Amino acid sequence: MTTYVALLYSITLGQGRRVVMADLRAMAVGLGLRNPRTLIATGNLVFEAEGTNPDDLTTRLETAFEKNFGRHVDIIVRDAAGWQALVAGNPFPKESETDAGHVIAQVMRRPVAAEAVAALEPYLANGEKMKAVGGDLWIHFARDIGHSKLAAAITPKRLGAPGTARNWNTVRRLGEMVG
């Protein structure tokens, strides 16, 4: 039995887009996934499954989500070892201790290319830092994320693949859930 983390992209933004976490857990049970549990109401699902891989789980979850909720949502799936590697790879440990809400991991479906990271560098403002680690993009926003040009520039098209952002508090807590 392997433990997995599934991150749903943008399920709480805009009218009619909110997904109740109990419904998400019920969907997971319907797929035969074991012990589904969620962390905060932003689409963080932890579960166990046997004899499968993250790509197959991604396809199953996205298909079920569209069937159950009437729209497509990109989903990123990592096994527990992959999630623990993400946690351990945080390049901003000092900032994470003092400013955890502004340290963000952009968790990618496929590794972000060095060219994509370089293309985002002009959007960095004073004090912002960015680093690719293990195919994911880590950012420390030194000010309000909502006013950052970098945050607005991080799109699947620019990154070359779907990804979804989680702050350090969420990344760490999911690590505890799979650990």
Side-chain angles (χ1 to χ4, degrees), residues 4 22 35 39 41 50 54 57 86 100 111 154-157 169:
Y4 295 90
N35 191 23
L39 175 67
E50 226 176 287
L57 287 167
L86 175 77
I154 297 173
T155 64
K157 184 176 179 178
N169 289 322

Side-chain angles (χ1 to χ4, degrees), residues 2-111:
T2 302
T3 303
Y4 295 90
V5 174
L7 305 177
L8 285 70
Y9 176 79
S10 190
I11 63 164
T12 60
L13 301 177
Q15 187 176 19
R17 293 194 65 166
R18 182 164 298 281
V19 173
V20 176
M21 293 299 99
D23 296 340
L24 182 61
R25 290 189 300 272
M27 181 195 84
V29 168
L31 288 172
L33 306 177
R34 296 189 184 144
N35 191 23
R37 52 225 184 263
T38 54
L39 175 67
I40 61 178
T42 57
N44 305 294
L45 178 67
V46 175
F47 58 90
E48 284 85 38
E50 226 176 287
T52 190
N53 68 54
D55 291 339
D56 291 341
L57 287 167
T58 297
T59 301
R60 288 173 57 200
L61 286 164
E62 286 181 349
T63 300
F65 189 92
E66 191 162 356
K67 180 181 177 185
N68 283 277
F69 299 103
R71 66 182 185 276
H72 174 81
V73 168
D74 288 320
I75 300 175
I76 312 298
V77 177
R78 295 280 172 87
D79 63 20
W83 195 263
Q84 293 297 0
L86 175 77
V87 172
N90 178 353
F92 306 120
K94 180 179 176 185
E95 295 85 348
S96 295
E97 286 182 25
T98 59
D99 197 18
H102 287 104
V103 174
I104 305 295
Q106 180 74 16
V107 183
M108 300 299 297
R109 180 173 290 169
R110 290 186 307 276

Side-chain angles (χ1 to χ4, degrees), residues 154-175:
I154 297 173
T155 64
K157 184 176 179 178
R158 280 197 176 103
L159 294 175
T164 186
R166 297 298 187 271
N167 73 30
W168 174 244
N169 289 322
T170 301
V171 170
R172 180 185 48 77
R173 288 177 61 200
L174 286 167

